[in-house]
Amino acid sequence: MQDVTKSDLIIRIAGEGGEGIISTGDFITQSCARAGLEVYTFKTFPAEIRGGYAMYQLRTGPHPIFNQGDTFDVLCAFNGEAFDLNRERLKPGSVFVYDSPGGNFEPDIPHGVHAYPIPMTLTARELNSPRAKNMVALGALSRLFGIPEAALREVFSAKFSRKGEAVAQANLAAFERGVALAAALEKTDPYTVAAPETKRDQIVMSGNHAVGLGALIAGLDFFSAYPITPATEVAQYVSKHLPKLGGTLIQAEDEIASISQVVGASYAGKKSMTATSGPGLALMSEMLGMAFMSETPCVVVDVQRGGPSTGLPTKHEQSDLFLAIHGSHGDAGRIVLSAENVQDCIDLTVDAFNLSEKYQCPVLLLSDSSLAFSTQNVPYPNPDGYSRVERKRWDGEGEYRRYAHTADGISPMVDPGTHGGMHIATGLEHDEAGAPNYTSANHEAMQAKRFGKLKRAIDDFPAVEVDGEGEAEFGVIAWGSTIGVVREALQRLRAEGLRVKGFYPKLLWPLPVEQFEQFGASCNRLLLPEVNYLGQLAHFVRAETRLRPESYTICGGLPFTPDMIVCKIKEMLA
Ligand code: COA
């Protein structure tokens, strides 16, 4: 048997949308996490509700995991397409579990691959539960790779018992047949799920749910939802929990209505948000300008997907940065944050509310489709550990002027109906009292006021994380979920003796220019990998700083892998 020194295991399950691929992966993920292991998942599925290629990749092990990994150790294919699409990655030593006999394909298995045929379709049919094909596969995987079986049974029983006793029993029977089928095979590969070191107080969440949780922690009062892949689960999560906390969620008729309701509710004194994806954000751009002009706090989460237009609705891309930073007419400002992982989705959502309330401006939080659907471990969240900022409100003294020029640049707000607090709320340029005023001196002073306060967000926000010390041959600037990939790539390069450093900004606008330049000064060369065609952050870095990072862009609907970054840097150093 080959010596496997890696401590993690990567299992990829692939087949057709509707075959229960996602559920199968989720069951394994939940059971590994319950057993105390770290998990990081990546899912890709078709835009169709049924049919098309669906894939779930789970990486699990006892140590922190930052990304989905380079490739899989174990491929479980439910059909011929899943085999065809992954055949090239079946290297000697890897494992292939597949539907046979009775499946729709007879694969020509590459030399040196450990192959385990499991009659998934046939067994499910024999049991009169064709839907339970995935459970036959799950039983087999559980036995072959030592997936914590007790936890697995708990997890899937809980899910299927909600669908009725008959469904639960049929799936249990299929699972047990899968276990027995695998037990009858000789195990030739060395892979097993690692034994956990200690059980920790952790939960497993997706990026979308974590955004919802962060909003609740921040004190969300009002959410206006309009469904769009891959953001819909944020609203689904909030709709379950917000009413219990006294808040309100409304489904609007479209994204323009959504953002308008959010701005209106915030004007009425409520902490408000919406979540959308690129096409929805494009529709919201006018109202974001209005929120900036009227200095109304609001939070918009943009779960990026492949664009432009309807684009690749279920695929990964980081291509909304131009839109997020400058998507409005006129000179309109906002704060833009970007999340690396599930923990960030909680923390930065709280930050988004705090910055928005403090600076009375729109704050956009960027996530992306792989992060939205990725499930990861996070320490059990403690809402009391977060600070919550409330907007500056008028103290009732003197004459109320909504847009008063103040020493700190922030004008006190009033809730509508406050005695003496009457003012005009308008998207027109206005004077300190809110009355329309188009004089050049007033417009210049008001723009300076609105933009001036935004810059201060840089000092409010934690310093950008620098990964590595001293002078480096290579510095890598990364944003969003690409950061997790770069972390691992740099670890590997350092292990080979290369001097490399990483720079991971989470506040993307206003750009912390000085910190970028300080980092750049400590590196001979800079690389900026991002998943978009135009090199959007690289563009801003070149425009705003003296740095000239080299762009590395991909836009194939999938995230980078650590190996891609390692190879690129070696190629550039050669
Ligand atoms: N017995 C009974 N039910 C089972 C089962 C089993 N053995 N295995 C899975 N299921 C159920 C699941 O519980 C789920 O039902 P639920 O939603 O009530 O929980 C359903 O079958 C689908 O299974 P799941 O594992 O979640 O997904 P899948 O791997 O079969 O893939 C999707 C289906 C998710 C790819 C597809 O339905 C989808 O949603 N595509 C995306 C559509 C989209 O967003 N388009 C973009 C428009 S712009």
Side-chain angles (χ1 to χ4, degrees):
M1 261 186 204
Q2 136 204 19
D3 174 33
V4 175
T5 48
K6 65 203 277 294
S7 64
D8 58 1
L9 177 68
I10 304 180
I11 300 176
R12 177 177 291 191
I13 303 161
E16 185 175 290
E19 284 190 310
I21 303 290
I22 307 293
S23 302
T24 311
D26 275 344
F27 294 148
I28 300 176
T29 303
Q30 294 287 344
S31 64
C32 290
R34 281 190 189 199
L37 292 166
E38 298 281 331
V39 291
Y40 191 110
T41 71
F42 173 73
K43 303 164 202 175
T44 177
F45 48 82
E48 295 75 26
I49 298 300
R50 213 182 152 81
Y53 175 68
M55 184 272 266
Y56 190 112
Q57 185 160 308
L58 158 73
R59 188 175 186 189
T60 183
H63 307 304
I65 298 173
F66 305 121
N67 57 66
Q68 77 283 0
D70 292 320
T71 184
F72 52 79
D73 304 306
V74 176
L75 170 68
C76 176
F78 280 35
N79 64 13
E81 186 187 18
F83 171 67
D84 292 341
L85 289 172
N86 290 290
R87 189 184 184 286
E88 266 186 25
R89 291 172 179 266
L90 280 169
K91 301 288 181 218
S94 61
V95 178
F96 182 44
V97 181
Y98 63 107
D99 186 14
S100 179
N104 71 350
F105 66 119
E106 273 312 320
D108 56 322
I109 298 163
H111 179 71
V113 169
H114 302 274
Y116 301 107
I118 301 286
M120 304 170 194
T121 305
L122 208 64
T123 308
R125 280 209 198 113
E126 276 170 20
L127 292 169
N128 269 335
S129 330
R131 288 215 68 177
K133 170 181 174 180
N134 60 339
M135 296 302 290
V136 179
L138 184 68
L141 291 171
S142 141
R143 169 50 65 102
L144 285 168
F145 306 107
I147 297 163
E149 200 178 309
L152 203 49
R153 284 171 188 267
E154 268 171 38
V155 174
F156 72 69
S157 301
K159 169 125 181 184
F160 289 129
S161 53
R162 287 199 289 272
K163 292 179 188 269
E165 189 50 28
V167 175
Q169 285 307 326
N171 279 297
L172 179 61
F175 176 81
E176 277 168 353
R177 283 289 288 278
V179 172
L181 286 163
L185 299 173
E186 185 195 348
K187 184 167 163 75
T188 56
D189 72 274
Y191 295 108
T192 52
V193 165
E197 286 173 345
T198 43
K199 247 183 161 170
R200 284 148 303 150
D201 199 10
Q202 299 218 327
I203 55 168
V204 177
M205 294 197 97
S206 71
N208 272 347
H209 287 183
V211 165
L213 176 62
L216 300 178
I217 292 173
L220 174 71
D221 296 304
F222 176 75
F223 189 112
S224 182
Y226 186 74
I228 182 167
T229 300
T232 305
E233 286 176 335
V234 177
Q236 284 173 337
Y237 180 92
V238 171
S239 71
K240 264 195 210 144
H241 302 288
L242 184 60
K244 291 182 267 183
L245 299 172
T248 304
L249 178 140
I250 291 178
Q251 179 166 329
E253 62 269 37
D254 59 28
E255 286 93 343
I256 299 175
S258 254
I259 185 68
S260 304
Q261 290 176 353
V262 166
V263 174
S266 178
Y267 167 76
K270 302 295 178 190
K271 287 190 178 176
S272 307
M273 78 176 288
T274 185
T276 188
S277 189
L281 184 63
L283 289 171
M284 292 179 184
S285 61
E286 180 173 4
M287 278 307 287
L288 287 169
M290 159 79 169
F292 176 70
M293 177 62 117
S294 61
E295 302 193 48
T296 311
C298 59
V299 172
V300 177
V301 176
D302 173 24
V303 186
Q304 300 166 96
R305 66 188 212 184
S309 189
T310 316
L312 297 77
T314 57
K315 303 292 179 208
H316 173 81
E317 214 164 79
Q318 306 178 271
S319 53
D320 287 346
L321 193 61
F322 286 163
L323 174 64
I325 290 179
H326 286 317
S328 275
H329 59 274
D331 284 330
R334 71 271 314 249
I335 293 171
V336 179
L337 309 177
S338 149
E340 169 192 352
N341 51 26
V342 169
Q343 183 67 55
D344 270 358
C345 287
I346 303 174
D347 299 346
L348 293 184
T349 304
V350 178
D351 289 339
F353 274 97
N354 287 345
L355 290 168
S356 177
E357 292 291 317
K358 180 165 183 183
Y359 293 111
Q360 300 178 13
C361 67
V363 177
L364 271 64
L365 171 61
L366 297 176
S367 171
D368 59 56
S369 76
S370 64
L371 175 53
F373 298 126
S374 176
T375 34
Q376 299 164 24
N377 312 60
V378 289
Y380 205 86
N382 170 20
D384 296 333
Y386 291 85
S387 59
R388 289 174 201 79
V389 172
E390 301 299 329
R391 63 187 63 174
K392 186 175 174 184
R393 282 186 161 85
W394 182 49
D395 59 9
E397 293 297 317
E399 184 192 343
Y400 180 62
R401 288 178 306 151
R402 167 65 188 95
Y403 300 107
H405 290 292
T406 60
D408 64 1
I410 314 289
S411 317
M413 295 183 77
V414 290
D415 294 340
T418 303
H419 182 70
M422 197 165 69
H423 63 279
I424 300 169
T426 171
L428 290 171
E429 185 55 282
H430 40 258
D431 64 16
E432 288 184 80
N437 183 320
Y438 318 132
T439 62
S440 44
N442 179 69
H443 183 49
E444 285 183 354
M446 282 296 176
Q447 282 291 65
K449 168 184 191 285
R450 288 185 289 260
F451 277 104
K453 63 184 177 176
L454 294 193
K455 288 226 172 82
R456 293 184 13 223
I458 295 173
D459 302 325
D460 262 14
F461 209 74
V464 179
E465 181 188 346
V466 176
D467 176 7
E469 286 168 3
E471 301 288 310
E473 288 164 83
F474 239 100
V476 184
I477 299 169
W479 66 285
S481 57
T482 303
I483 294 173
V485 177
V486 170
R487 285 184 195 279
E488 184 169 338
L490 297 190
Q491 283 175 4
R492 291 187 199 169
L493 289 164
R494 281 190 204 111
E496 292 183 29
L498 269 79
R499 285 181 296 114
V500 285
K501 279 168 85 172
F503 185 74
Y504 308 140
K506 311 258 165 110
L507 170 68
L508 296 183
W509 202 259
L511 201 72
V513 169
E514 269 179 39
Q515 297 179 50
F516 270 81
E517 291 189 339
Q518 261 172 24
F519 174 75
S522 68
C523 307
N524 288 347
R525 288 174 77 179
L526 292 173
L527 181 71
L528 205 164
E530 50 190 325
V531 187
N532 57 57
Y533 186 79
L534 291 169
Q536 299 193 8
L537 182 61
H539 171 90
F540 283 115
V541 173
R542 290 189 203 109
E544 300 286 322
T545 75
R546 283 170 291 187
L547 307 180
R548 294 291 172 268
E550 293 168 63
S551 256
Y552 176 22
T553 62
I554 56 168
C555 59
L558 292 171
F560 281 105
T561 61
D563 199 37
M564 290 166 83
I565 307 290
V566 168
C567 290
K568 183 74 181 176
I569 291 179
K570 286 185 177 173
E571 181 192 306
M572 290 172 77
L573 284 173

